[in-house]
């Protein structure tokens, strides 16, 4: 009966929360908070409904992301734009009424793209749509020119090693999954340099787009010279493949001014809602504020910053103060160094053991599906029960494997349970690390639901009578 009463109180919020989402739910799911489940969960049904209702009652999260990406834009490590974004976030968190708002300084690498271009110069001239890979060295003077060798795998490269000398190697490997295909971007430069290649091109790591190149970091190894490397659009990769398949020389010229400058000061941004009973125990929610230097860094990862920050703002706004502290961290330098996550681990070593859970949202803020989770079986059971509070927004799935590039170092150091926001990923890699990563790709209602899901999960984990997993 008590549960019924709570449901009735929460109904206006629930109606708001469910009006726009039933179309996406399987027919067997229902919108009311599910009956059953452990008794301890009952006390959380009303706060969960309030958090969801507040999150989806407007477009606050999307508007904030639009402001960030329109007024500041992309935010590569070491740029004034990232500095402005950090100062903006501090001011906005303070305005939200968050507690203990501050920055935590770390030094970050400063890679500068400069101007860049690529063209086919033989047998006919064609401009190539390209983006230099992050952390690549540049070319000298007039650029590097060479006959193209197209390969479709590392095995083919090794089999044709003698043909790679003095050439520009193109890795033309169609996108399957990011994990499978990204290795040609990260490892391709040194693999080709070992065989004497003078530069590499890599087919953009993403599904075929509209002639969209995808940047992203490469990773040179110590056993080969550093050679310039660039991503080319799938259309340009396919053209180079067709031209070389016809036989005869295909020559490309690549010009890149890319270089490193000395490390620059940067910072993680931190804000909190302090716990009412055990403030020294901490739940971290997070996204990374830096981005690549193309597009607006909306999906990667301005959106993750805003929806995790929303969790804390919503609690504050609704006067829901959990037992433990919920801390939002906006990381610096995820994309090309990971110094923010490493810096946090080092600066917070003394309190890592009191971190109850760390969550990172870095897979986009499209339609939420639930969370990936890494932790003990007992913790997983608790998290699964909490996720049932999100069935009304169809974000109740708990899948194996939770974590993130920035929370990883701390998770490993202190065996902290880790979580990632899982969303419909079908659009993510179309725009990932491209000029098309802009806020218009993000739906305000889906984004609000992401914020709701993170808020409910973080609130309940932070408020549990017993620490997660105990
Ligand atoms: Zn990211």
């Amino acid at each position: 009966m008590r549960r019924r009463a709570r449901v009735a109180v929460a109904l206006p919020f629930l109606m708001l929360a469910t009006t726009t989402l039933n179309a996406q739910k399987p027919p067997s799911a229902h919108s009311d908070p599910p009956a059953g489940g452990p008794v301890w969960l009952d006390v959380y049904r009303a706060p969960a409904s309030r958090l969801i209702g507040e999150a989806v009652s407007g477009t606050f999260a999307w508007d904030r992301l639009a402001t960030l990406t329109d007024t500041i834009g992309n935010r590569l490590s070491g740029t004034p734009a990232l500095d402005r974004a950090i100062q903006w976030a501090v001011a906005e968190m303070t305005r939200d009424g968050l507690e203990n708002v501050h920055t935590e300084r770390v030094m970050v690498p400063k890679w500068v793209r400069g101007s860049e271009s690529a063209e086919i110069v033989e047998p006919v001239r064609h401009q190539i749509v390209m983006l230099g890979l992050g952390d690549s060295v540049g070319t000298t003077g007039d650029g590097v020119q060479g006959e193209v060798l197209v390969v479709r795998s590392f095995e083919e490269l090794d089999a044709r090693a003698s043909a790679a000398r003095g050439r520009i190697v193109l890795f033309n490997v169609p996108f399957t999954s990011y994990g499978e295909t990204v290795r040609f971007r990260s490892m391709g430069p040194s693999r080709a340099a070992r065989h004497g290649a003078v530069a590499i091109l890599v087919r953009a790591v993403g599904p075929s787009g509209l002639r969209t190149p995808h940047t992203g970091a490469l990773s040179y190894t110590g056993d080969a010279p550093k050679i310039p490397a660039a991503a080319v659009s799938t259309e340009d990769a396919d053209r180079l493949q067709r031209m070389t398949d016809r036989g005869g020389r295909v020559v490309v010229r690549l010009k890149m001014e890319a270089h490193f400058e000395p490390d620059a000061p940067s910072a993680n941004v931190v804000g909190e809602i302090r716990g009412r009973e055990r403030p020294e125990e901490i739940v971290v929610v997070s996204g990374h504020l830096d981005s690549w230097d193309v597009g607006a860094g909306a999906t990667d990862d301005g959106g993750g910053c805003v929806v995790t920050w929303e969790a804390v703002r919503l609690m504050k706004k609704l006067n829901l103060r959990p037992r433990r502290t919920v801390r939002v961290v906006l990381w610096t330098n995820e994309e090309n160094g990971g110094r923010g996550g490493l810096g946090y681990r080092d600066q917070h070593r003394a309190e890592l053991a009191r971190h109850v859970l760390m969550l990172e949202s870095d897979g986009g803020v499209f339609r939420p599906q639930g969370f990936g989770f890494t932790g003990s079986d007992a913790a997983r059971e608790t998290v699964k029960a909490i996720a049932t509070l999100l069935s009304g927004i169809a974000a109740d799935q708990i899948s194996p494997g939770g974590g993130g590039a920035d929370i990883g170092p701390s998770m490993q150091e202190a065996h902290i349970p880790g979580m990632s926001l899982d969303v419909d990923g079908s659009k993510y890699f179309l725009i990932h690390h491209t000029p098309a990563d802009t806020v218009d790709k993000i739906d305000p209602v889906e984004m609000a639901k992401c914020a709701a899901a993170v808020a409910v999960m973080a609130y309940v984990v932070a408020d549990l009578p017993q620490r997660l997993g105990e």
Side-chain angles (χ1 to χ4, degrees), residues 253-327:
R253 177 185 293 276
L254 177 68
K255 286 190 198 176
M256 293 171 61
E257 290 181 353
H259 63 279
F260 275 99
E261 293 180 6
D263 284 6
S266 187
N268 296 324
V269 181
V270 176
E272 295 179 340
I273 183 165
R274 297 290 292 172
R276 68 174 195 276
E277 281 181 18
R278 297 189 213 166
E280 73 286 357
E281 292 186 1
I282 297 151
V283 171
V284 165
V285 293
S286 65
H288 67 86
L289 195 53
D290 70 303
S291 76
W292 283 109
D293 57 333
V294 295
T299 294
D300 189 12
D301 181 34
C305 290
V306 172
V307 299
T308 52
W309 173 359
E310 275 290 271
V312 189
R313 187 189 71 87
L314 291 165
M315 287 178 218
K316 186 78 190 171
K317 176 149 194 225
L318 297 174
N319 206 16
L320 288 168
R321 184 180 294 277
R323 281 189 172 85
R324 297 173 189 79
T325 294
V326 180
R327 174 182 294 166

Side-chain angles (χ1 to χ4, degrees), residues 288 300-301 334-335 362 428:
H288 67 86
D300 189 12
D301 181 34
E334 188 275 340
E335 295 292 4
D362 189 19
Y428 184 74

Side-chain angles (χ1 to χ4, degrees), residues 43-347:
V43 72
Y44 294 118
R45 294 182 196 281
S49 293
R50 291 180 66 204
L51 287 165
I52 295 168
E54 180 67 25
V56 305
S57 67
T59 57
F60 188 96
W62 192 93
D63 291 343
R64 177 164 267 175
L65 179 61
T67 299
L68 168 67
T69 56
D70 289 343
T71 63
I72 296 172
N74 60 52
R75 307 167 299 281
L76 185 61
S77 288
T79 60
L82 179 56
D83 293 342
R84 280 199 297 277
I86 289 166
Q87 294 313 315
W88 169 84
V90 166
E92 289 288 297
M93 283 187 186
T94 305
R95 224 167 56 156
D96 289 346
L98 301 197
E99 297 148 21
N100 195 20
V101 176
H102 64 279
T103 59
E104 297 181 353
R105 180 182 152 114
V106 289
M107 296 298 288
V108 296
K110 181 175 183 182
W111 178 78
V112 178
R113 176 180 303 282
S115 72
E116 57 183 17
S117 64
E119 61 176 337
I120 301 171
V121 294
E122 282 183 44
V124 60
R125 290 186 103 82
H126 289 294
Q127 202 66 35
I128 294 174
V129 175
M130 56 78 80
L131 271 177
L133 296 185
D135 299 354
S136 178
V137 296
T139 60
T140 48
D142 276 350
V144 59
Q145 184 165 314
E147 189 177 344
V148 175
L149 171 68
V150 183
V151 297
R152 289 181 169 275
S153 65
F154 286 136
E155 292 69 33
E156 185 180 354
L157 173 69
D158 293 340
R160 301 174 69 185
S162 61
R165 182 156 301 278
R167 300 275 194 96
I168 294 177
V169 170
L170 166 65
F171 292 96
N172 187 25
V173 184
F175 182 81
T176 49
S177 69
Y178 191 67
E180 183 67 22
T181 316
V182 75
R183 58 205 176 101
F184 296 98
R185 184 191 85 204
S186 55
M187 295 154 59
S190 289
R191 294 285 291 252
R194 259 176 242 162
H195 299 313
V198 293
I200 72 125
L201 304 176
V202 60
R203 181 188 179 99
V205 181
S208 288
L210 296 173
R211 219 174 176 197
T212 307
H214 298 237
T215 191
L218 57 71
S219 177
Y220 290 125
T221 55
D223 60 351
K226 294 179 177 180
I227 58 172
V232 302
S233 74
T234 61
E235 291 91 333
D236 288 273
D238 286 338
R239 169 185 268 165
L240 285 163
Q241 177 87 56
R242 289 192 304 273
M243 291 174 78
T244 53
D245 285 351
R246 285 187 198 107
R249 273 164 60 87
V250 179
V251 177
V252 162
R253 177 185 293 276
L254 177 68
K255 286 190 198 176
M256 293 171 61
E257 290 181 353
H259 63 279
F260 275 99
E261 293 180 6
D263 284 6
S266 187
N268 296 324
V269 181
V270 176
E272 295 179 340
I273 183 165
R274 297 290 292 172
R276 68 174 195 276
E277 281 181 18
R278 297 189 213 166
E280 73 286 357
E281 292 186 1
I282 297 151
V283 171
V284 165
V285 293
S286 65
H288 67 86
L289 195 53
D290 70 303
S291 76
W292 283 109
D293 57 333
V294 295
T299 294
D300 189 12
D301 181 34
C305 290
V306 172
V307 299
T308 52
W309 173 359
E310 275 290 271
V312 189
R313 187 189 71 87
L314 291 165
M315 287 178 218
K316 186 78 190 171
K317 176 149 194 225
L318 297 174
N319 206 16
L320 288 168
R321 184 180 294 277
R323 281 189 172 85
R324 297 173 189 79
T325 294
V326 180
R327 174 182 294 166
V328 56
V329 183
L330 309 185
W331 310 101
T332 190
N333 189 227
E334 188 275 340
E335 295 292 4
N336 62 336
R339 301 273 184 90
L342 293 168
Y344 184 91
R345 178 197 64 191
D346 295 344
Q347 290 165 28

